[in-house]
Amino acid sequence: MNEHWDAIIIGAGTAGLPAAIFAAERSDKILVLDVAPEIGGTLHLSSGQMSAAGTRLQKEQGIEDSPELHIEDIMRISKNTADRTVAGLAVNNAAETLDWLETIGFQPLPDHPVKGQAHEPYSLKRYVWGENLGKSILAVLKPVFEKAIGSGRVTLKLNTRVTKLVLDEDGAVTGLAARTGGGAEETYSTSAVLIAAGGYVANGAMYKELSGHPAYGDHSYPYCVGDGLNLGLSAGGTAQGHENYLTSFGVVMQSYDVPSKVRCRQIHWPERRMPWEIYVNAHGKRFIREDEPSVDVREHTIQEQPDLRHWIMFDSVTLQEAPPLFADFGADDIKTAAENGEPMFYVADTVEDLADKAGLPVDVVVQTVADYNAAQSRGSDSFGRQNMPRGISEAPFYTIRSQAMSVSSTVGLKVNESLEVIRDDESTITGLYGAGESLGQGAMMGSSFCGGMLVTPALTFGRLLGQRLLPIGDAARAAAE
Ligand SMILES: Cc1cc2nc3c(=O)[nH]c(=O)nc-3n(C[C@H](O)[C@H](O)[C@H](O)COP(=O)(O)OP(=O)(O)OC[C@H]3O[C@@H](n4cnc5c(N)ncnc54)[C@H](O)[C@@H]3O)c2cc1C
């Protein structure tokens, strides 16, 4: 083996960067390995929305909040499916993380904090992000991390993929193996490894195996292919969260390929835009009141539909008169895309032809539209929809295929309250720690999306590990001797 390191951090991303920054205050032998050619991980792509209770920002604005209220909100939103211990550890320490980020230059948007945005809202304003989303966080972490490298306390190796953990006969971690960009295999000795290698969304096969659904969206960091979870499992760790898979609602893909980039995003939040359209599933049937107020209900309902899809159906009057259905994609764009036969967009002079073109069962769709038109005339429908401004009656008729997808990994390594990776029998794997999406989103938010509960925990766990949980520095060395 090469020289001995106090700790090795796998991944220079959201969790790995703060871990290295703080670990450098206790040790000058910190090694950070990343398979990518640059640091930052998913922060390059993430919306970077964070939630924390009891922050300086909240206090300045007179918002009385506490970690207790935050965790109660998470348990309410997740219907008690989040892991109270692990999510609680994140929440209890989140304010300090956000305050620290601000001291190194992070600036939330001027009107923040807010209660929510895309996800089920919190009961209090504790949600922030910066102008450049995830990149706003990376922009302030990067100089501090580079300073730690400059001081010689942290060593960074990019283009280096960790392929194996090395264990002793008792199952404790003693090092790891990694493959460099040139293809050489190197081994490194350490008694503390932090898995901060992100999730597995960029690994289509693994995603499908663990969630039961394809990874429809091509929006995850390409280097997050599940190595973190696989490395942890290879050392005896256990995976959790399979039951918590959840998809978000309503994007239109650029192509029929899987994965594909998103072309436009449906404004499906009734508080922002009341729907004029109906939604039908692959059976040609409506499945929800389109103005369902809870985004969590919409997400769970779309998850029960074939291929996580719906078709948004409307007529020419709605196209022209309704408020914009998508952000940055107007009525003329929809019309042109449909007339040109571009993927996901369909137009026809009759409802029959429309269903046929979209590959939907014609007779069922005709009946669904007739039933909706009758309900709209009556002013009530069987789903309890409140907002029905008009029926679907004026040719040409339109439909757009909308896809549900997720950009994060549900399943992850099980850890204890010290962030040590644990086995099925809850025993710890000595020297192995985890943080970030390698722990899975299910632990933080169960079968729901709770705003900011991936980025903030990743940063927070990285910070805690660097500050105190990783057994490094003089005290740890003395204890080991
Ligand atoms: C489009 C998008 C929007 C999002 N928006 C939000 C949001 O607003 N709020 C929120 O809370 N969450 C959000 N998320 C999720 C959140 O950003 C991620 O869960 C979080 O950033 C992951 O942090 P991480 O440290 O676990 O992984 P990353 O930041 O991805 O870091 C992992 C690092 O490990 C490296 N790596 C992987 N395998 C290896 C290996 N074998 N050897 C060496 N290095 C390796 C990778 O190259 C990467 O640099 C979003 C995600 C996406 C994709």
Side-chain angles (χ1 to χ4, degrees):
M1 289 220 190
N2 283 339
E3 62 189 302
H4 187 85
W5 298 88
D6 271 359
I8 302 181
I9 297 169
I10 309 173
T14 320
L17 289 173
I21 287 167
F22 285 101
E25 293 178 4
R26 294 195 288 146
S27 162
D28 58 0
K29 294 290 292 177
I30 303 297
L31 177 63
V32 181
L33 304 174
D34 201 299
V35 61
E38 60 178 340
I39 66 162
T42 303
L43 287 176
H44 289 284
L45 307 171
S46 176
S47 306
Q49 300 182 333
M50 298 175 279
S51 54
T55 60
R56 201 163 43 223
L57 183 68
Q58 286 179 311
K59 285 176 193 147
E60 281 163 11
Q61 297 186 20
I63 300 164
E64 285 188 29
D65 197 4
S66 67
E68 291 72 28
L69 292 173
H70 192 179
I71 193 73
E72 287 318 318
D73 254 359
I74 290 168
M75 299 317 282
R76 168 183 61 81
I77 293 169
S78 73
K79 297 178 196 66
N80 289 318
T81 54
D83 179 333
R84 194 181 264 276
T85 306
V86 181
L89 180 68
V91 159
N92 286 339
N93 294 282
E96 205 178 319
T97 302
L98 209 71
D99 291 349
W100 168 66
L101 277 186
E102 286 193 52
T103 62
I104 60 171
F106 174 78
Q107 284 189 327
L109 288 177
D111 56 343
H112 283 198
V114 293
K115 285 187 182 175
Q117 199 219 25
H119 307 306
E120 208 67 25
Y122 285 121
S123 56
L124 285 166
K125 293 180 176 183
R126 61 168 77 97
Y127 198 34
V128 301
W129 56 96
E131 190 180 2
N132 293 318
L133 310 176
K135 288 189 180 128
S136 295
I137 303 170
L138 181 55
V140 298
L141 292 178
K142 198 172 174 196
V144 189
F145 179 68
E146 284 172 347
K147 200 168 160 202
I149 293 175
S151 71
R153 300 180 73 77
V154 171
T155 299
L156 169 69
K157 287 181 187 253
L158 294 171
N159 300 302
T160 303
R161 181 178 189 180
V162 176
T163 51
K164 205 170 94 181
L165 296 176
V166 181
L167 311 176
D168 67 14
E169 61 276 13
D170 297 323
V173 172
T174 58
L176 53 74
R179 194 167 292 283
T180 65
E185 173 137 314
E186 292 181 348
T187 53
Y188 302 92
S189 160
T190 185
S191 48
V193 168
L194 167 57
I195 297 178
Y200 51 81
V201 184
N203 181 339
M206 190 168 171
Y207 185 95
K208 184 149 191 211
E209 189 190 327
L210 292 176
S211 70
H213 299 280
Y216 288 107
D218 183 8
H219 288 270
S220 55
Y221 197 54
Y223 300 95
C224 291
V225 292
D227 286 356
L229 178 54
N230 285 333
L231 286 166
L233 294 178
S234 74
T238 189
Q240 66 169 2
H242 302 74
E243 69 287 3
N244 286 325
Y245 179 75
L246 184 63
T247 179
S248 56
F249 190 94
V251 292
V252 178
M253 295 300 186
Q254 281 179 10
S255 81
Y256 297 107
D257 297 338
V258 175
S260 164
K261 295 272 184 222
V262 168
R263 182 165 194 188
C264 49
R265 291 171 193 277
Q266 194 184 333
I267 307 172
H268 57 85
W269 296 266
E271 63 273 24
R272 285 185 228 164
R273 175 195 187 270
M274 274 295 173
W276 288 38
E277 307 78 11
I278 62 166
Y279 305 157
V280 303
N281 61 16
H283 304 305
K285 294 193 170 173
R286 288 176 69 214
F287 54 92
I288 191 170
R289 59 176 277 207
E290 290 79 358
D291 57 358
E292 164 57 52
S294 161
V295 62
D296 188 62
V297 170
R298 295 198 295 281
E299 288 161 347
H300 279 91
T301 309
I302 196 66
Q303 197 155 298
E304 289 158 18
Q305 311 312 313
D307 300 325
L308 312 180
R309 277 180 196 142
H310 68 280
W311 281 256
I312 310 164
M313 211 162 269
F314 50 97
D315 70 359
S316 56
V317 176
T318 287
L319 178 70
Q320 294 307 332
E321 293 186 3
L325 177 60
F326 302 109
D328 303 326
F329 200 82
D332 290 346
D333 299 316
I334 294 174
K335 190 165 176 291
T336 307
E339 285 170 356
N340 290 343
E342 292 169 23
M344 317 298 162
F345 292 84
Y346 308 90
V347 59
D349 286 333
T350 64
V351 172
E352 286 87 338
D353 283 352
L354 186 73
D356 191 40
K357 277 186 174 179
L360 296 168
V362 174
D363 292 349
V364 185
V365 171
V366 168
Q367 189 61 51
T368 298
V369 170
D371 288 347
Y372 178 71
N373 286 344
Q376 195 270 337
S377 305
R378 269 196 320 271
S380 71
D381 79 342
S382 56
F383 292 97
R385 178 169 168 169
Q386 305 289 306
N387 186 64
M388 294 189 278
R390 58 171 287 107
I392 300 175
S393 55
E394 296 292 323
F397 301 99
Y398 293 85
T399 194
I400 303 168
R401 196 181 96 177
S402 181
Q403 183 68 53
M405 57 166 244
S406 166
V407 291
S408 45
S409 316
T410 316
V411 178
L413 293 169
K414 207 166 173 186
V415 290
N416 61 19
E417 62 283 356
S418 300
L419 300 176
E420 294 167 293
V421 177
I422 57 177
R423 302 184 181 89
D424 212 17
D425 63 4
E426 312 251 308
S427 61
T428 55
I429 300 169
T430 305
L432 191 60
Y433 297 78
E437 213 174 299
S438 294
L439 307 186
Q441 79 179 44
M444 302 305 152
M445 32 186 168
S447 59
S448 68
F449 291 118
C450 293
M453 279 306 288
L454 281 173
V455 166
T456 334
L459 293 165
T460 300
F461 288 173
R463 178 176 68 76
L464 292 176
L465 284 152
Q467 275 179 332
R468 60 183 167 87
L469 295 177
L470 285 173
I472 53 175
D474 293 343
R477 275 182 228 148
E481 278 160 14

